[in-house]
Structure formats: C-alpha cells, structure tokens
Amino acid sequence: MKQKILFIVSISLSFMMIFLYNFFTPHFSDDLQKLIEVEADKSIIGLLKLAFNVYLEYNPRIIGQFSTFLAASMDKILFTIINSIIFALLVYLIYLNVNFGKEKRHNAFLFLFTLFFFWRYAVEFGDTMLWLSGAASYLWPMAMMLAFITFYRCLLATAKPYYKSIVYPALFILAVFSGWCNENTSGGTILLVLIFTAIKMRELKKDRQKMIRPEMIIALAGAGLGFIALLSSPGAYKRLEYFEEEYTGMTGLFQRLYHCFNTVNELFFELLIIFIIFTILAIVVKKKLPQVWLHVFPFFFAGAMTAFVLILIPQPMARAYFGAGVFLIIACLQSFMLLFDQSDTKNKAWQYIIFAVLALWLFFDYQANLVNLARINREENERILIIEEVKNSGGNTAIVPKYREAFRNRYSSIHRNDMTDDPLYWINQYYQNLYEVENIIALPRDIWDCGSSPQ
C-alpha cells in the first residue's frame, strides 16, 4: 500500500512539474496561425476538414495535424492540463516498457528515475513538449505510438486475451493511428512490433504452440494500413518541393548522411555513452546477454533506424529525432535495470548515487528555467497589452519590445521566433492577422525603453 501511494505521488509530481512549465509557455510561431485557422469552426468536423486539407496539400501527418488544430481550439488552461496529462502518460508508458515483466508493479524509484532521465535527455524539450504546435505534433502522437507498443506487448504476454470483441478492434484502431503519425517514428514503431512478434513466434515455436496469433495479424495489418495512408499523401510529395538541396544524387545522399551523423552526435552523444557503459557492464559483469537481446536491443535498434532513416529527408529539424530519442531512452533505462537489479543490495548505493546526481541537476535546472519561462510569459503579456491598446485606440502601428536575451533557455524557442522591425516579416504578420493591427514592429528592449511607445 505504501509503495502504491508513493507511486501515485510520483505520477502527480510529473504532472505538476510539466504543468507549471506549460502554464508559463505562451502561444507563439505557428500557434498564432493555427489560432486564426480554427476560429471559423471549432467543431470536430471542422477541425477534421482542416487536418485533411493539410494532408492533401502539405503534410501527411494527419494525426498530428488534427491534434494541433484540436489543441489550438482549446482555452489555454485546458490545453495546459491536457498536455500535462499526456506528458505524464508518456513517462508512465516509458516506465511500463522499462519495467515490463517485473513483479514489482508500483516502483516509485524507477518511475522517478525515468522522469528525471527523460527530462534530461528528451530531444528539443521545449519544442516537442511545451510549444503547442510541437507538443500536439510530437508528444501526443508519441504517446499514442508507445501506447500501441505497450498494449501489443501486453497482449503477446497474455496466453488468452479477454474481451476479444473489445480488445481486438481497439488494437486495430490504435495500430492504424500509430502507423499514420509520423514518417520515421511510425516506421520505428512498426519495426518494434515486428521484432516483438518475431521474438514471440520463436518462443511459441520452442513451446510447440501455434506460432501466429490474431493480435499479430491485427497489429501489423493496422499499422501497415496507417503507414501506407501516411506515405500516400499528396501533400507529402508537394512538401518536398519546398526543400532545396545544394547537391543531388549520391552527393546529396552523403551530405544528408553527414548532417544526420552531426545531429545524432549533438543530440545523443551523452545518451549513447551512458547506453554503452550500462550495456557492456550488464553483459560482462552481470552476464545478462540474453536479456539484453530480448529487452534492450529492440528499442536501441528501432531508435537507431528511426534516426538514420531521416537521411531520406533534406535537412530535417532536430525535433524530428524526438521519437528516436524516446526509444534510445527506453534502451538506456532497460540497461540500467539489468545492471542495477534492485534485488541486489550491493548495487543500491550506485542506484542512489546516479539518482541523486540526476535529481540535483534537475532541481537547479528546473527552478532557474521556470523563472525564465515566467519572465518570457510576462513579456509576451506586456506586448499583447500594447498591441490591444493600439487596436482599441484606432492606431495602425504598434511598437513592442523584443524578448530579453537574458531569458533565453533550452525550454523555449520563442527567441528564435521573435518579431523584427520589419512588419512584413512572417511572425510579425501572424501577430498582425491575429490581433487585427495593420503594422507591428519589434525593437530591442534597450531601444524600446529609450522612448518608443504605441502609436
């Protein structure tokens, strides 16, 4: 009972931590355009139409696009609550896959370790989990895909699934949606399903049982259909026309491979070092090579393939590696569990040392950047008040301050998406369209403080 209470407290902590960060993250960049687009019709049918139009014209990720329009149609506080719940759900799903098959179901220590580790090594944290357009496009679909993987693993581990009339249709729908989420991460999800299917079939063959089970066919067929729908989007090919490459052919391929290696090095070098240390020690010291092959290798291999398949896309954004990062984090945590088996009292000191180091880092990082996010949010509210004053007074030009550079932090890309002194700049136009002001100009804070005011 005590462990269960601690576990619930740990989940609540993960919710509250991200809730505060979400609360102080204002809408910016593409969010502003989405707010305009959903204004005409916020019904589910209207949002589906918007997502389908994007699917036909620009972006094949209809699940992510619908999620983005849905999020934009909500009040900010409602989005903050839902996004925080989905974040806590994703951490819980990571925990379930790390703790899969273990007898101890409510392991508060492992859950908190998962939370702290994920917070430290998640790809582009601000863009993928706090920014509305990014969270709805990456966090929400990733939670769906990992829920599908977890659900499927649970069914494979069950001799005879109960309530087949409910479970199998739910598995199929979840599989279709997961295959339709994201080009590289949906592919990695299907790869994981194939690996776990192969492992289960080998196990069934060994036990002289029927090798193919209904959930295998349903999961692979559903995910395959979703993935085909993703790749069949007319918008996917139209989108490629917007990308310009310096080189084509084999030279272009090698250039993309070079870019991919650099990005992996930048995003995952520390994570890969941890993975190598934990895995080698688990194999050499703990003699757990079979467990590494069954539990660690599938997620590591899927993460690597999810990352390096991006060589097919010209210069993807760093946040495109988010799914690969989640798979690699699971692989690292699996190795940690194999190396530091909690039943071994000799290892507890090392467990607590690593945990304490992570907790210490997160404590100082969290409080410092929470303040920075609150300051950015205050400045954004200040700018909105200036713009609304100009609009209400009948003026046609609002002069606002740019964000202070001192508040720049890794949890927000708002400084990279700030307005400029050119009212024709794309982000200036987003603000002008949203607040219906003819011209908005942003000046550095020191210049603005010297006497610029709304006109």
Side-chain angles (χ1 to χ4, degrees):
M1 186 65 182
K2 182 180 177 182
Q3 277 293 323
K4 191 173 182 180
I5 293 172
L6 287 173
F7 192 75
I8 293 171
V9 170
S10 300
I11 294 176
S12 302
L13 176 66
S14 70
F15 171 84
M16 286 306 304
M17 287 175 67
I18 198 69
F19 178 85
L20 292 174
Y21 267 46
N22 268 302
F23 183 81
F24 289 119
T25 300
H27 294 323
F28 64 94
S29 187
D30 293 354
D31 297 351
L32 307 180
Q33 182 62 27
K34 293 293 189 297
L35 292 173
I36 296 170
E37 292 178 21
V38 303
E39 192 58 39
D41 187 358
K42 293 186 178 181
S43 67
I44 296 297
I45 299 299
L47 300 178
L48 281 171
K49 286 179 180 178
L50 286 172
F52 190 67
N53 287 337
V54 175
Y55 173 78
L56 293 177
E57 295 296 328
Y58 181 69
N59 193 321
R61 304 168 196 167
I62 197 167
I63 303 299
Q65 288 300 311
F66 174 74
S67 299
T68 305
F69 287 123
L70 179 63
S73 69
M74 302 174 183
D75 291 336
K76 179 62 166 61
I77 189 63
L78 179 59
F79 164 75
T80 298
I81 294 170
I82 291 176
N83 197 58
S84 302
I85 291 172
I86 294 174
F87 172 84
L89 173 63
L90 179 59
V91 175
Y92 179 65
L93 289 168
I94 293 172
Y95 160 83
L96 285 180
N97 281 276
V98 174
N99 201 45
F100 196 82
K102 303 293 190 302
E103 292 182 4
K104 192 174 182 180
R105 293 176 57 194
H106 302 112
N107 191 333
F109 173 86
L110 178 59
F111 181 86
L112 286 175
F113 190 87
T114 301
L115 171 64
F116 297 168
F117 198 86
F118 183 59
W119 200 290
R120 176 67 180 86
Y121 293 108
V123 173
E124 297 289 305
F125 197 104
D127 278 1
T128 55
M129 282 174 280
L130 300 175
W131 175 42
L132 182 147
S133 296
S137 298
Y138 292 94
L139 172 62
W140 295 19
M142 188 68 236
M144 181 182 293
M145 287 182 276
L146 198 54
F148 166 55
I149 292 168
T150 310
F151 187 23
Y152 181 63
R153 293 185 74 187
C154 289
L155 287 178
L156 289 181
T158 305
K160 291 183 179 180
Y162 299 102
Y163 307 111
K164 296 178 183 179
S165 60
I166 298 174
V167 168
Y168 287 158
L171 177 66
F172 181 76
I173 293 170
L174 194 55
V176 172
F177 287 172
S178 297
W180 207 342
C181 280
N182 181 292
E183 296 93 329
N184 65 322
T185 312
S186 287
T189 298
I190 294 172
L191 179 59
L192 270 171
V193 169
L194 284 168
I195 293 173
F196 288 128
T197 300
I199 292 172
K200 186 63 180 180
M201 289 176 69
R202 184 173 179 272
E203 179 187 312
L204 292 171
K205 183 180 179 181
K206 205 174 188 180
D207 296 338
R208 298 181 182 278
Q209 298 182 41
K210 189 176 179 181
M211 290 175 61
I212 299 177
R213 291 170 45 166
E215 58 266 28
M216 297 176 180
I217 298 171
I218 292 168
L220 289 169
L225 283 173
F227 198 59
I228 290 170
L230 180 76
L231 298 182
S232 301
S233 163
Y237 301 97
K238 292 180 182 179
R239 190 181 187 189
L240 291 176
E241 297 174 3
Y242 292 91
F243 295 99
E244 293 184 4
E245 290 191 274
E246 185 179 356
Y247 302 102
T248 57
M250 288 301 296
T251 305
L253 180 63
F254 281 116
Q255 184 187 44
R256 293 198 296 272
L257 183 61
Y258 171 76
H259 176 77
C260 186
F261 273 117
N262 282 343
T263 306
V264 168
N265 177 45
E266 181 181 341
L267 296 175
F268 302 130
F269 183 77
E270 189 176 335
L271 192 63
L272 290 172
I273 293 296
I274 293 171
F275 171 79
I276 290 170
I277 293 172
F278 283 174
T279 304
I280 290 177
L281 289 176
I283 294 171
V284 175
V285 178
K286 294 295 183 177
K287 311 296 182 184
K288 293 186 176 180
L289 180 59
Q291 293 93 325
V292 168
W293 277 109
L294 289 175
H295 302 291
V296 178
F297 173 75
F299 284 102
F300 177 78
F301 183 66
M305 293 299 100
T306 301
F308 284 106
V309 76
L310 289 170
I311 64 172
L312 301 175
I313 304 172
Q315 303 291 312
M317 301 288 286
R319 56 179 175 264
Y321 292 81
F322 176 69
V326 171
F327 294 148
L328 291 175
I329 285 169
I330 293 174
C332 280
L333 292 171
Q334 288 275 15
S335 293
F336 174 82
M337 286 296 291
L338 293 176
L339 178 60
F340 300 113
D341 187 346
Q342 288 193 298
S343 62
D344 186 351
T345 55
K346 294 180 181 178
N347 288 323
K348 283 191 175 181
W350 284 108
Q351 293 178 39
Y352 295 147
I353 287 170
I354 297 171
F355 180 86
V357 169
L358 266 177
L360 184 66
W361 168 83
L362 184 55
F363 172 78
F364 287 110
D365 187 70
Y366 183 89
Q367 57 86 25
N369 287 299
L370 179 62
V371 172
N372 283 329
L373 290 175
R375 288 166 171 167
I376 291 171
N377 188 62
R378 181 191 64 204
E379 292 200 334
E380 177 66 5
N381 291 333
E382 176 191 19
R383 295 180 357 159
I384 292 171
L385 284 174
I386 293 170
I387 293 169
E388 288 179 340
E389 284 179 12
V390 170
K391 178 183 175 181
N392 295 334
S393 65
N396 60 7
T397 301
I399 302 176
V400 299
K402 295 171 73 71
Y403 302 115
R404 287 182 173 90
E405 281 296 317
F407 303 155
R408 186 186 288 265
N409 65 89
R410 80 185 193 97
Y411 295 101
S412 177
S413 61
I414 200 166
H415 286 81
R416 299 199 305 267
N417 295 276
D418 201 359
M419 288 186 281
T420 70
D421 58 2
D422 180 7
L424 298 180
Y425 187 60
W426 65 275
I427 190 67
N428 293 56
Q429 292 190 349
Y430 279 179
Y431 276 92
Q432 287 160 191
N433 294 334
L434 181 62
Y435 294 102
E436 298 177 337
V437 174
E438 187 174 340
N439 295 300
I440 300 177
I441 295 170
L443 300 175
R445 172 68 67 165
D446 54 348
I447 297 176
W448 187 85
D449 283 339
C450 288
S452 297
S453 58
Q455 295 180 4

